[in-house]
Amino acid sequence: MNRQLIVEEKMKEWGASIVGFSDLIDVLPDDLKDLRYGITVAVKLSDRIINEINDKPTYTYFHHYRSVNTLIDQITLKTVLMMEEWGYNALAVPASQSIKELGEYRGLFQHKTAATKAGLGWIGKNGLLVTEKYGPRVRLGTVLTDFELDTGKPIETSKCGNCTLCVKSCPAMALHGKLWEAGIERKEIVDAQACSEYMNKNFKHIGRGSVCGICIKVCPYGIKN
Ligand code: SF4
Ligand code: SF4
């Protein structure tokens, strides 16, 4: 079996809901350009837990959020070790990490950028990856590698259309209602500081005020009929 298929099968066996492949040469910082290919893993969030969110985050959601991040980190770590065994270089981008030196709320590399380049979805007016199958009810991880991959067709425009459900539901008024297209700055869509400050101020007792979930819950793409 070809090695890309093995990667996909293994990641799914380890818990991935969706796997995608991308060429990131145009968007990687210089110090990561030797690892030009991206492998995106999306793990679906539990519908029961997301559906329980109403006007504020829940304790269960916070625990779930962290559990799914841990699962993603395990999937990407196992993938890196497998690829290194095969003689390739690979790096797992942490599922959830803010590196202060890169600016507020920034990680090593943006999972959402890799996911759109892999053709897994678009960036919604909630600033999250929205997939056809699960809407924004996924969390993401990325492996960067020099293993040459057959890559997906990038998605460059939004399918949010006239919907503004997440924008209207955001208690922090942190969503600007802007329709995404590839290359647009995150700050044009979401005021990450307003989101974070609102959570911190009001829900410090629930998950240190770091996650809310309302803009995930309301998205029609994630709601099962
Ligand atoms: S997580 Fe909550 S506060 Fe932040 S943008 Fe979404 S709905 Fe608004
Ligand atoms: S709720 Fe509507 S506007 Fe917000 S991400 Fe989903 S489809 Fe897009």
Side-chain angles (χ1 to χ4, degrees):
M1 198 193 299
N2 95 26
R3 283 186 163 167
Q4 182 165 339
L5 269 179
I6 294 175
V7 169
E8 184 167 353
E9 282 199 357
K10 281 283 172 195
M11 289 178 113
K12 288 190 171 162
E13 188 184 312
W14 294 330
S17 309
I18 312 175
V19 176
F21 303 95
S22 55
D23 183 351
L24 302 171
I25 194 67
D26 295 338
V27 288
L28 283 168
D30 286 345
D31 59 339
L32 292 175
K33 277 197 194 295
D34 57 316
L35 305 174
R36 72 178 280 175
Y37 295 98
I39 307 172
T40 295
V41 49
V43 172
K44 186 188 165 295
L45 293 163
S46 154
D47 284 317
R48 171 72 183 224
I49 291 171
I50 297 296
N51 291 342
E52 278 175 3
I53 296 168
N54 284 316
D55 56 346
K56 58 178 182 294
T58 67
Y59 290 92
T60 318
Y61 173 53
F62 176 59
H63 178 77
H64 183 54
Y65 179 93
R66 292 208 298 185
S67 302
V68 172
N69 283 343
T70 302
L71 175 60
I72 289 170
D73 282 336
Q74 288 180 354
I75 296 169
T76 54
L77 171 61
K78 284 180 177 182
T79 305
V80 164
L81 295 177
M82 184 171 69
M83 300 189 87
E84 287 184 349
E85 277 293 314
W86 291 343
Y88 300 105
N89 292 304
L91 174 72
V93 179
S96 181
Q97 184 184 53
S98 284
I99 300 175
K100 207 162 176 78
E101 288 78 359
L102 297 178
E104 290 291 321
Y105 319 110
R106 288 269 165 204
L108 197 58
F109 185 73
Q110 302 305 304
H111 301 296
K112 288 179 279 190
T113 301
T116 58
K117 288 269 182 193
L120 299 189
W122 66 96
I123 306 302
K125 289 177 191 169
N126 53 11
L128 302 169
L129 183 82
V130 182
T131 64
E132 293 276 359
K133 191 165 182 191
Y134 304 121
R137 296 179 181 216
V138 290
R139 290 208 49 79
L140 301 170
T142 311
V143 172
L144 302 175
T145 180
D146 56 8
F147 171 42
E148 191 174 341
L149 297 161
D150 287 332
T151 57
K153 188 172 182 304
I155 290 179
E156 304 198 317
T157 53
S158 169
K159 287 194 182 177
C160 286
N162 294 326
C163 177
T164 53
L165 279 173
C166 56
V167 180
K168 286 193 208 129
S169 307
C170 173
M173 291 182 284
L175 304 175
H176 303 312
K178 176 106 179 167
L179 208 55
W180 172 82
E181 57 187 20
I184 201 171
E185 292 255 359
R186 179 175 63 170
K187 64 178 186 235
E188 290 191 49
I189 294 177
V190 52
D191 181 343
Q193 193 174 346
C195 164
S196 175
E197 283 178 3
Y198 179 87
M199 291 296 107
N200 245 300
K201 184 161 162 252
N202 296 286
F203 303 115
K204 194 92 185 158
H205 59 295
I206 305 175
R208 301 193 302 274
S210 60
V211 292
C212 162
I214 294 170
C215 56
I216 295 177
K217 182 203 173 166
V218 298
C219 180
Y221 279 98
I223 294 171
K224 297 224 168 53
N225 296 315

